[in-house]
C-alpha cells in the first residue's frame, strides 16, 4: 500500500477465503501454488488449512529430459526468487541477479555466480509484462550464457504481453529465450499461447490430484 485508500489485496483475499465454512472433517483445505510473497502464508486464519504447493518438481522433471541437463545453471532474477526456490533446486549451480538504481532507471545486474558457457534457466513465481525476465536474459547473455530459458509458475501476461517472447520465423532462439516453461494455472494464457514457440505448458493436474489425495 503506497497511498491512503489502496486495498491490501492479498490480505483481503486471505480474509475472504478464511471465511469458507468448516466442513464435516474440520477446516477446509486450501491448496495454493507458489504464493507470491512468503509472508502471505500467515494472512490466513485457523478456519481454513492452507496447503502450500509448488510447480518446481514439474520444472525439474522437464530439465532432466534436456540433452544438456549437465550444463544447466539456475538463475534467480532477485533475492526474493532465490529465497523462495533455491533449496528446491540446490542440485544445480545458481546465479543471482538484482535490480539496482542508476539515476532514474532500475536496471538488472549479475549479483553473484558464473553463467559463462552454460544453459541458464531463469526461475520465478510469476510473470506479468516480462520486462524483468528480458533484462535478465540480456545480462546473462552478456556474461557468456550460451542459451537462456525461463520458467514461471503463473503466466499472468496481461494485455497479451507474452507476444514479446515469441520466436519469429527463422529466428535464432539463442538470441532470446530458447525455452519458456509455464504451468496451466492461468488457463486463458495457455489458450492464447498454444503451440507458440518458445512456450511449453507443464500441467499441474497430477500435482493438484496428489495434493487433494484423489
Amino acid at each position: 500500500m503506497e497511498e491512503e485508500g489502496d486495498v491490501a489485496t492479498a490480505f483481503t483475499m486471505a480474509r475472504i477465503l478464511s471465511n469458507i465454512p468448516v466442513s464435516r472433517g474440520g477446516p477446509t483445505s486450501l491448496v495454493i501454488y507458489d504464493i507470491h510473497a512468503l509472508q502471505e502464508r500467515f494472512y490466513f486464519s485457523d478456519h481454513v488449512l492452507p496447503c502450500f504447493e509448488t510447480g518446481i518438481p514439474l520444472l525439474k522433471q522437464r530439465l532432466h529430459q534436456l540433452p544438456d541437463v549437465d550444463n544447466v545453471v539456475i538463475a534467480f532474477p532477485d533475492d526474493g526468487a532465490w529465497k523462495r526456490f533455491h533449496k528446491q533446486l540446490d542440485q544445480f549451480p545458481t546465479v543471482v541477479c538484482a535490480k539496482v538504481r542508476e539515476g532514474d532507471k532500475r536496471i538488472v545486474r549479475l549479483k553473484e555466480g558464473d553463467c559463462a558457457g552454460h544453459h541458464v534457466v531463469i526461475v520465478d513465481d510469476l510473470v506479468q509484462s516480462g520486462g524483468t525476465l528480458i533484462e535478465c536474459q540480456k545480462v546473462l547473455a552478456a556474461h557468456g550464457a550460451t542459451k537462456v530459458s525461463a520458467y514461471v509458475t503463473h503466466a499472468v501476461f496481461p494485455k497479451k504481453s507474452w507476444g514479446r517472447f515469441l520466436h519469429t520465423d527463422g529466428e535464432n532462439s539463442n538470441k532470446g529465450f530458447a525455452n519458456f516453461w509455464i504451468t496451466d494455472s492461468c488457463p486463458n494464457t495457455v489458450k492464447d499461447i498454444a503451440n507458440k514457440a518458445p512456450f511449453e505448458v507443464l500441467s499441474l493436474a497430477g500435482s493438484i490430484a496428489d495434493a487433494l489425495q484423489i
Side-chain angles (χ1 to χ4, degrees):
M1 295 176 62
E2 296 181 357
E3 297 181 8
E4 189 63 33
D6 286 349
V7 176
T9 52
F11 182 65
T12 301
M13 178 65 74
R15 290 175 64 192
I16 292 171
L17 294 173
S18 293
N19 280 286
I20 297 173
V22 175
S23 67
R24 289 181 63 186
T28 297
S29 295
L30 183 66
V31 181
I32 303 171
Y33 277 83
D34 290 322
I35 196 166
H36 181 54
L38 296 179
Q39 66 268 24
E40 291 169 1
R41 66 175 55 220
F42 304 111
Y43 292 178
F44 298 91
S45 78
D46 293 338
H47 295 154
V48 295
L49 181 62
C51 302
F52 299 101
E53 300 290 339
T54 179
I56 294 298
L58 297 174
L59 171 64
K60 291 166 68 174
Q61 183 179 24
R62 186 65 184 90
L63 291 179
H64 283 290
Q65 295 171 352
L66 298 177
D68 61 348
V69 62
D70 293 334
N71 195 40
V72 166
V73 167
I74 302 297
F76 301 107
D78 52 40
D79 288 332
W82 177 85
K83 183 184 295 184
R84 186 178 295 110
F85 295 124
H86 80 278
K87 288 185 178 179
Q88 301 176 64
L89 294 160
D90 59 3
Q91 67 269 49
F92 294 99
T94 59
V95 299
V96 182
C97 297
K99 290 182 181 178
V100 297
R101 186 176 295 277
E102 285 193 0
D104 294 332
K105 295 182 179 180
R106 290 180 67 86
I107 62 175
V108 175
R109 296 288 192 203
L110 185 63
K111 180 180 177 182
E112 59 183 75
D114 179 19
C115 61
H118 296 286
H119 178 185
V120 183
V121 180
I122 305 170
V123 174
D124 208 353
D125 63 320
L126 65 83
V127 59
Q128 297 203 64
S129 69
T132 297
L133 291 179
I134 289 172
E135 291 304 311
C136 283
Q137 185 273 331
K138 292 177 180 178
V139 169
L140 295 167
H143 281 80
T146 56
K147 188 161 54 174
V148 179
S149 297
Y151 164 85
V152 297
T153 302
H154 307 297
V156 183
F157 285 131
K159 300 179 181 179
K160 298 187 176 182
S161 53
W162 45 262
R164 307 172 69 182
F165 296 90
L166 294 182
H167 291 174
T168 58
D169 291 340
E171 179 186 7
N172 182 351
S173 62
N174 288 339
K175 294 182 180 179
F177 286 83
N179 308 278
F180 200 129
W181 295 290
I182 66 172
T183 75
D184 48 2
S185 69
C186 299
N188 288 335
T189 299
V190 172
K191 182 178 178 181
D192 286 341
I193 67 167
N195 301 316
K196 292 181 172 67
F199 292 103
E200 180 181 342
V201 179
L202 308 177
S203 177
L204 290 172
S207 176
I208 292 172
D210 291 340
L212 298 177
Q213 298 179 346
I214 59 175

